[in-house]
Amino acid sequence: EVQLVESGGGLVQAGGSLRLSCAASGFTVDDYAIGWFRQAPGKEREGVSCIGGRGGRTYYADSVKGRFTISSDNAKNTVYLQMNSLKAEDTAVYYCAADLQGARYEHWWNRAPIYDYWGQGTQVTVSS
């Protein structure tokens, strides 16, 4: 059974850092693309970052470039999102998702419909 479990969210002051984790089971993260999305109240789900499997490329939304870093630990079958210099506008529920059907992410990494499985989300709140 494929499962994704996020953790690491919390309350942090503006300028602070958090590291989110996405622990995967039922498949190997190195074989597929994992994306991070976020959704703030009243807003649409937004693609934040993505990492392709087997040394694939990484992708970032313009709003987080230079502040967020996505990485994977194949031994732990976990993908991380290191978030630095957090801003109030980063407040949202963060979700990780897996594209298990090949290379769709290369063209549409920030589009939610290409992802097959989703985690339950973790809340990130940045106080200003």
Side-chain angles (χ1 to χ4, degrees):
E1 180 186 4
V2 173
Q3 278 194 322
L4 298 167
V5 179
E6 302 96 334
S7 61
L11 174 64
V12 64
Q13 288 189 332
S17 298
L18 284 173
R19 188 178 78 159
L20 304 183
S21 299
C22 173
S25 58
F27 71 101
T28 302
V29 296
D30 195 40
D31 289 340
Y32 301 101
I34 302 294
W36 282 98
F37 286 74
R38 66 187 181 187
Q39 188 165 20
K43 295 189 176 182
E44 292 188 354
R45 193 166 293 193
E46 172 193 20
V48 175
S49 184
C50 175
I51 185 166
R54 299 187 182 276
R57 289 181 57 186
T58 57
Y59 305 82
Y60 297 95
D62 288 343
S63 58
V64 306
K65 278 181 183 176
R67 300 189 297 123
F68 291 11
T69 303
I70 192 170
S71 63
S72 64
D73 184 333
N74 295 332
K76 295 183 178 180
N77 213 34
T78 297
V79 172
Y80 302 99
L81 186 68
Q82 178 68 45
M83 307 187 297
N84 299 329
S85 302
L86 283 162
K87 305 175 182 179
E89 50 264 43
D90 295 318
T91 295
V93 178
Y94 284 70
Y95 302 88
C96 65
D99 170 15
L100 302 188
Q101 297 193 30
R104 295 177 298 179
Y105 74 95
E106 293 179 353
H107 300 286
W108 303 295
W109 72 267
N110 59 348
R111 299 189 184 182
I114 73 158
Y115 293 89
D116 307 291
Y117 294 91
W118 291 80
Q120 82 289 349
T122 186
Q123 176 70 47
V124 171
T125 303
V126 183
S127 62
S128 56

